[in-house]
C-alpha cells in the first residue's frame, strides 16, 4: 500500500545540496561506519544499514554549524550509506586468505577492486531509478525510513495530515521515543541483563531441528515497513527451511558432536545451498518481470539526455547523470578491471589462455553486473538493503565465475593450478560483489531522495564519492583484523579467529565447482522450490489474493531463523496498527453550537500511518546508532589486543544470571514494543481535531 510517506511533498526551497562541508562530513562518517561494519561482517556475517544513523549524525552536526537543509543532509547520508554496503565485500575477499593465495590484503589492489565494482554498481543503477523507484510500488522500507528521519529532523513542512509544525514535533518525539526504547533494550542485552537471542536445537526421532529468535527491535521496525505480504512470505520460507529441509537433511546424521553441531552444520552446509537455488530462480523471475520497466527506464534516460542536449528543461527531481556519461564511465571502468584480472593471475594457468579468460571475465562481469544490479535493487526495494541476502547473490556469482573457468580449463583435482583458478574465481566474484552491494544500496538512497525532493544526478555523484571513501578504509581495517584476530579457516588461525561465514562458504563453493565435488542436487532442489513458489504467487495474483513474493520466500529459507522470525512479527504488528489507523468512521460528533454535524467524519488515516512509520523508524534508528557506539566500545576495550579478546565489555551480570536473562528478555521486549505502539496511538488520537466541546474524550477514546 502506498501511503503519504511514499510521496514527495517538499519543494526545492531548501538551499544548497552538494556542498563541500556535506562531502567532508559524509567522508568522515563513511570511514567510521565502514570500520564498524567490516568488524561486524567478519564476526557474525551481518552488516547494518548506515543511512539512518548517518542522517541523524549529519543533522546534529550541520545544525550546530547553521544554514543546513534537508537536501544537504540527504547528501551526507547518501555518501555515508556506502559504508553499510561496500563493507560487505568482506563476505568474499577474506576467502583469498583462507585458500592461502594471499597472506594479506594488498592495499591498492583491494581499493581498486572496491572502487571499480562500486562505480559500476552506481552506473548500472542509474537507468534503473526510473524503472524501480519512480515507476514502482516497491516499499523501500529503509529509504522511506531515512526520508522520514530527514523530514522530521529538519522540520520540513507538512501540508496534509496532522498539521504542519505540530505533526513535525509529534513525529520527532515518536522517532526519539522508538529510538530510546530500541537502544535501551540493546544496551540491556550487552549488559547481559536480558538475553540477545533465544534458541534451542533438539532431536526429533532420528533427526533434529531447532528454533531461534534474535530480540532485535530493529527487526520489528523493518517488518512494519516491509508489510504483511513480504512478512508472510519470509515466514513461509522459514517454515520450509526449519520444519522440512533441516529435519530431512539431518535425518540419520552424526550426533556424536551434539545436536547443535548437527543442526548448525546441516543448515550452513546444505540448506543454505537450497535457499541459494530458490533465490536464484526467484531473482531471474523478478528480473524477467521488470525487463519492461527497465527498458522503459533506459528509453526515458536516453530521451532525457536528448531533451537536455536540445535545450529542453527537465525538473530537477528527474535529472539523472546523462546516459552518455554513464556509458563512458562503464567502458572506462572495465579497462582497469581487465588490468586487475591480468595482474592478479600472473604466473598462473589463466595466462595460458589470457584472451579467452580475461575477455570472458569482462563480458561476465558486465552482463551479470547489469542483472545483479537490477535484482539487488529489486530486493532492496522489497525488504530493505540491510536485509537483502546479497551473500546469496555472491553464491550465484561465484558459481558462474567458477563454471566459466571449468568451461575453459575443465575440472581439475586439488593442486596448485586448481588453487590458482579458485583464487581467480574469488577475485572476479569480489568485483561483481562490489556491484551487488552498491546497487543494493543505491536505489534505496534514490528513493529517499525522491521523497525529499533531491536531484538524482547529485545523489549519484555522492554515491560515487561514498564508494571511493569507503574503499580507502576497507583494506586497512581488513589487514588490522587479520593480523590481530585472524579468520577461521586461514592458515595459522587461532581459537579467537573471526568466523567470516560467507567468505568461508563462497570459498568452498569455488573449490567444489573447480574440483568437481559440489552437490548440484541442492541447487536444483532450491530451483524447483522457487518454481513452485512462483506458480503459487501468480495463482494468488490472478485470484486477487495477497501475493507471496518468491524472493522473500527464498530469503526465509536462506537466512538464519534468528534473523527471520521477528520480521513477520513486525509485519503483523504494523498491519494491525494500519488497520486501526484506517478505521472508517468515528461516532458522529457535535458541532460547536450543539447541533448534529453533517454526516460522520473519517479520521486522517495517512497522518496516523505516518506516525506509525516514524515509530517503527525509531526502532531501527536506536539499535543502529547503538550498534555503531558499541563497535567503538569494543575497539576501545580491545585496544591492547587482549587474548582472548573482550567481547562483552559492558557486561554487569555473570553467567549465573543467564537463566533469568533468557526469560526476562521476551517479556521486556514485547512489553516495550506494546508501549511504543500504545503511546503512538495516544499521540495520534490526541492530535485529532475535535468538532465540539460536549465530550471530546469519548471520541478520542473511541478512536483509540
Amino acid at each position: 500500500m502506498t501511503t503519504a510517506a511514499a510521496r514527495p511533498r517538499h519543494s526545492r526551497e531548501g538551499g544548497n545540496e552538494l556542498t563541500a562541508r556535506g562531502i567532508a562530513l559524509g567522508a568522515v562518517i563513511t570511514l567510521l561506519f565502514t570500520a564498524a561494519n567490516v568488524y561486524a561482517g567478519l564476526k557474525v556475517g551481518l552488516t547494518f544499514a548506515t543511512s539512518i544513523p548517518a542522517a541523524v549524525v549529519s543533522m546534529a552536526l550541520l545544525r550546530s554549524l547553521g544554514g543546513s537543509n534537508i537536501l544537504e543532509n540527504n547528501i551526507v547520508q547518501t555518501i555515508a550509506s556506502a559504508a553499510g554496503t561496500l563493507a560487505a565485500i568482506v563476505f568474499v575477499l577474506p576467502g583469498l586468505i583462507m585458500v592461502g593465495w594471499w597472506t594479506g590484503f594488498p592495499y591498492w589492489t583491494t581499493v581498486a577492486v572496491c572502487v571499480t565494482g562500486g562505480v559500476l554498481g552506481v552506473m548500472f543503477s542509474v537507468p534503473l531509478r526510473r524503472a524501480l523507484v519512480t515507476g514502482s510500488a516497491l516499499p523501500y522500507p529503509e529509504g522511506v525510513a531515512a526520508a522520514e528521519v530527514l523530514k522530521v529532523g529538519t522540520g520540513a513542512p507538512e501540508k496534509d495530515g496532522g498539521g504542519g509544525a505540530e505533526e513535525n514535533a509529534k513525529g520527532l518525539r515518536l522517532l526519539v521515543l522508538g529510538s530510546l526504547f530500541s537502544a535501551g533494550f540493546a544496551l540491556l542485552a550487552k549488559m547481559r541483563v536480558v538475553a540477545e537471542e533465544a534458541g534451542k536445537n533438539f532431536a526429533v526421532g532420528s533427526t533434529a531441528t531447532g528454533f531461534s529468535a534474535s530480540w532485535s527491535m530493529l527487526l520489528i521496525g523493518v517488518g512494519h515497513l516491509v508489510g504483511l505480504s513480504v512478512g508472510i512470505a519470509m515466514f513461509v520460507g522459514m517454515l520450509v527451511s526449519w520444519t522440512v529441509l533441516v529435519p530431512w537433511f539431518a535425518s540419520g546424521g552424526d550426533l556424536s558432536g551434539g545436536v547443535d553441531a548437527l543442526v548448525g552444520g546441516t543448515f550452513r552446509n546444505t540448506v543454505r545451498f537450497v535457499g541459494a537455488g530458490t533465490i536464484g530462480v526467484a531473482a531471474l523471475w523478478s528480473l524477467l518481470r521488470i525487463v519492461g520497466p527497465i527498458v522503459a527506464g533506459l528509453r526515458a534516460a536516453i530521451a532525457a539526455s536528448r531533451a537536455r542536449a536540445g535545450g529542453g528543461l527537465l525538473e530537477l527531481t528527474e535529472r539523472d547523470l546523462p546516459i552518455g556519461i554513464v556509458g563512458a564511465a562503464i567502458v572506462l571502468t572495465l579497462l582497469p578491471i581487465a588490468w586487475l584480472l591480468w595482474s592478479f593471475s600472473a604466473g598462473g594457468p589463466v595466462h595460458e589462455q589470457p584472451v579467452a579468460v580475461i575477455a570472458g571475465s569482462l563480458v561476465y562481469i558486465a552482463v551479470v553486473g547489469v542483472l545483479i544490479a537490477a535484482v539487488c535493487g529489486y530486493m532492496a526495494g522489497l525488504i530493505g538493503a540491510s536485509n537483502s541476502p546479497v551473500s546469496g547473490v555472491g553464491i550465484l556469482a561465484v558459481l558462474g565465475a567458477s563454471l566459466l573457468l571449468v568451461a575453459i580449463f575443465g575440472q581439475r583435482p586439488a593442486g596448485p593450478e586448481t588453487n590458482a583458478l579458485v583464487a581467480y574465481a574469488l577475485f572476479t566474484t569480489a568485483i561483481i560483489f562490489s556491484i551487488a552491494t552498491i546497487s543494493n544500496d543505491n536505489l534505496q538512497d534514490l528513493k529517499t531522495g525522491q521523497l525529499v525532493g533531491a536531484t538524482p544526478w547529485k545523489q549519484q555523484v555522492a554515491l560515487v564519492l561514498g564508494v571511493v571513501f569507503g574503499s580507502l578504509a576497507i583494506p586497512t581495517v581488513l589487514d588490522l583484523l587479520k593480523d590481530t584476530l585472524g579468520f577461521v579457516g586461514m592458515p595459522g588461525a587461532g581459537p579467537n579467529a573471526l568466523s567470516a561465514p560467507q567468505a568461508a562458504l563462497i570459498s568452498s563453493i569455488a573449490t567444489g565447482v573447480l574440483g568437481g565435488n559440489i552437490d548440484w542436487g541442492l541447487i536444483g532442489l532450491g530451483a524447483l522450490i522457487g518454481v513452485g513458489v512462483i506458480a503459487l504467487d501468480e495463482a494468488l495474483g490472478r485470484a486477487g489474493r495477497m501475493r507471496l513474493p518468491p524472493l522473500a520466500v527464498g530469503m526465509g529459507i536462506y537466512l538464519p531463523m534468528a534473523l527471520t522470525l521477528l520480521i513477520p512479527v513486525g509485519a503483523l504488528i504494523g498491519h494491525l496498527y494500519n488497520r486501526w489507523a484506517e478505521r472508517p468512521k468515528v461516532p458522529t460528533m457535535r458541532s460547536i453550537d450543539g447541533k448534529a454535524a453533517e454526516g460522520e467524519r473519517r479520521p486522517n488515516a495517512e497522518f496516523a500511518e505516518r506516525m506509525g512509520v516514524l515509530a517503527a523508524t525509531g526502532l531501527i534508528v536506536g539499535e543502529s546508532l547503538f550498534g555503531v557506539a558499541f563497535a567503538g566500545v569494543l575497539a576501545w576495550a580491545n585496544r591492547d589486543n587482549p587474548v582472548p579478546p573482550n567481547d562483552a565489555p559492558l557486561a554487569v551480570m555473570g553467567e549465573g544470571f543467564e537463566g533469568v536473562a533468557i526469560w526476562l528478555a521476551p517479556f521486556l521486549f514485547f512489553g516495550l514494543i506494546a508501549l511504543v505502539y500504545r503511546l503512538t496511538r495516544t499521540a495520534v488520537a490526541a492530535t485529532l481535531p475535535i468538532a465540539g466541546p460536549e465530550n471530546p474524550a469519548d471520541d478520542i477514546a473511541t478512536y483509540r
Side-chain angles (χ1 to χ4, degrees):
M1 178 173 54
T2 303
T3 68
R7 298 195 306 267
R9 299 185 295 272
H10 303 296
S11 69
R12 297 285 307 175
E13 299 174 0
N16 295 325
E17 188 170 358
L18 189 62
T19 64
R21 70 176 186 176
I23 293 172
L25 180 57
V28 173
I29 298 175
T30 293
L31 295 176
L32 295 174
F33 284 4
T34 297
N37 257 331
V38 168
Y39 179 85
L42 290 171
K43 184 174 178 62
V44 297
L46 292 172
T47 56
F48 58 86
T50 55
S51 295
I52 294 171
V56 174
V57 174
S58 169
M59 287 185 292
L61 295 178
L62 289 182
R63 181 175 295 171
S64 66
L65 297 175
S68 65
N69 60 79
I70 193 170
L71 301 179
E72 186 179 25
N73 281 303
N74 178 58
I75 287 294
V76 175
Q77 73 83 17
T78 298
I79 294 173
S81 67
T85 51
L86 194 58
I89 193 68
V90 302
F91 294 169
V92 180
L93 280 181
L96 292 168
I97 303 289
M98 295 174 178
V99 300
W101 191 256
W102 277 356
T103 57
F105 296 92
Y107 184 82
W108 290 112
T109 300
T110 305
V111 168
V113 167
C114 297
V115 168
T116 53
V119 169
L120 283 181
V122 175
M123 296 303 134
F124 287 156
S125 63
V126 168
L128 295 176
R129 183 188 69 84
R130 297 173 186 270
L132 296 181
V133 176
T134 60
S136 169
L138 289 170
Y140 287 99
E142 289 167 358
V144 171
E148 293 296 331
V149 171
L150 288 169
K151 291 172 188 176
V152 172
T154 54
E158 299 288 348
K159 299 184 187 296
D160 61 330
E166 184 181 2
E167 177 179 350
N168 285 326
K170 194 174 295 293
L172 182 57
R173 285 196 295 271
L174 289 175
L175 179 67
V176 172
L177 176 73
S179 299
L180 290 175
F181 277 42
S182 180
F185 187 87
L187 174 61
L188 290 176
K190 294 302 182 184
M191 294 170 66
R192 303 282 178 89
V193 175
V194 296
E196 290 189 75
E197 187 173 315
K200 184 174 179 59
N201 297 317
F202 48 87
V204 182
S206 61
T207 186
T209 186
F211 73 90
S212 59
S214 175
W215 302 122
S216 167
M217 292 192 182
L218 179 149
L219 297 178
I220 296 292
V222 168
H224 182 131
L225 296 181
V226 300
L228 192 60
S229 178
V230 172
I232 290 176
M234 292 193 71
F235 186 73
V236 169
M238 184 189 71
L239 288 180
V240 169
S241 181
W242 290 93
T243 66
V244 179
L245 296 177
V246 170
W248 180 21
F249 287 112
S251 180
D254 182 13
L255 285 170
S256 61
V259 175
D260 291 347
L262 175 61
V263 172
T266 300
F267 179 76
R268 287 190 304 271
N269 302 324
T270 304
V271 175
R272 293 192 88 171
F273 285 92
V274 177
T278 304
I279 289 173
V281 169
L284 290 175
W285 176 249
S286 299
L287 179 64
L288 290 174
R289 294 191 63 180
I290 61 176
V291 164
I294 289 173
V295 172
L298 285 169
R299 289 174 177 170
I302 293 172
S305 180
R306 289 173 177 170
R308 184 180 294 182
L313 293 177
L314 287 174
E315 290 187 18
L316 289 176
T317 54
E318 287 300 320
R319 295 183 186 177
D320 292 291
L321 285 173
I323 198 68
I325 292 178
V326 171
I330 291 172
V331 172
L332 292 176
T333 304
L334 288 174
L335 295 177
I337 288 176
W339 178 84
L340 280 170
L341 294 172
W342 170 263
S343 61
F344 178 84
S345 59
V350 169
H351 280 220
E352 297 172 6
Q353 302 187 53
V355 175
V357 178
I358 303 297
S361 299
L362 286 176
V363 172
Y364 178 69
I365 289 170
V367 173
V368 173
V370 172
L371 300 179
I372 280 179
V375 169
C376 286
Y378 185 88
M379 289 193 300
L382 184 68
I383 195 172
S386 60
N387 293 284
S388 297
V390 289
S391 50
V393 173
I395 289 172
L396 299 177
V398 79
L399 277 172
S402 301
L403 289 173
L404 175 64
L405 295 176
V406 168
I408 297 173
F409 296 100
Q411 291 179 328
R412 303 186 178 195
E417 290 193 348
T418 300
N419 200 39
L421 293 175
V422 169
Y424 183 86
L426 292 174
F427 192 77
T428 304
T429 302
I431 297 172
I432 296 173
F433 204 76
S434 294
I435 298 173
T437 57
I438 290 300
S439 57
N440 188 48
D441 169 73
N442 282 1
L443 297 179
Q444 199 81 248
D445 287 321
L446 292 172
K447 181 65 177 180
T448 301
Q450 178 205 15
L451 296 176
V452 301
T455 308
W457 76 261
K458 292 182 179 180
Q459 273 196 284
Q460 289 150 4
V461 170
L463 285 163
V464 172
L465 293 173
V467 165
V468 173
F469 297 145
S471 299
L472 293 173
I474 286 173
T476 300
V477 180
L478 278 172
D479 257 333
L480 174 65
L481 294 174
K482 189 270 299 180
D483 292 337
T484 54
L485 296 174
F487 314 130
V488 173
M490 66 175 271
N496 299 305
L498 298 167
S499 63
Q502 285 88 346
L505 177 60
I506 288 173
S507 300
S508 66
I509 291 174
T511 303
V513 172
L514 290 163
N517 57 359
I518 192 171
D519 190 345
W520 288 104
L522 298 177
I523 305 292
L525 174 61
L528 287 176
I529 293 174
V531 170
V533 174
I534 289 169
L536 177 60
D537 178 57
E538 291 300 308
L540 291 172
R542 287 193 295 270
R545 303 291 181 85
M546 181 180 292
R547 304 296 293 262
L548 198 70
L551 260 177
V553 175
M555 295 174 199
I557 296 174
Y558 178 82
L559 293 173
M561 183 187 290
L563 300 180
T564 308
L565 182 59
L566 286 187
I567 292 179
V569 173
L572 178 60
I573 291 173
H575 173 71
L576 293 175
Y577 174 86
N578 287 337
R579 282 188 60 185
W580 168 83
E582 293 170 357
R583 290 179 60 173
K585 294 180 181 180
V586 296
T588 302
M589 296 183 182
R590 300 288 180 180
S591 62
I592 294 177
D593 61 4
K595 297 180 180 179
E598 295 183 4
E600 295 182 320
R601 182 181 63 82
R602 293 179 181 271
N604 193 325
E606 290 186 348
F607 164 67
E609 288 179 11
R610 274 204 304 279
M611 293 299 100
V613 167
L614 281 168
T617 298
L619 298 179
I620 298 173
V621 169
E623 191 167 324
S624 298
L625 287 177
F626 179 82
V628 176
F630 185 71
V633 172
L634 275 179
W636 176 259
N638 292 284
R639 62 192 182 280
D640 297 325
N641 298 320
V643 179
N646 183 1
D647 291 330
L650 299 180
V652 297
M653 295 297 183
E655 294 182 2
F657 193 76
E658 184 176 350
V660 177
I662 289 174
W663 285 103
L664 181 60
F667 289 102
L668 183 60
F669 181 85
F670 286 111
L672 291 175
I673 293 294
L675 183 57
V676 167
Y677 280 91
R678 177 64 182 176
L679 292 174
T680 302
R681 290 176 53 169
T682 300
V684 169
T687 309
L688 289 176
I690 303 302
E694 283 201 354
N695 194 1
D698 290 344
D699 292 317
I700 295 175
T702 301
Y703 188 59
R704 288 176 186 167

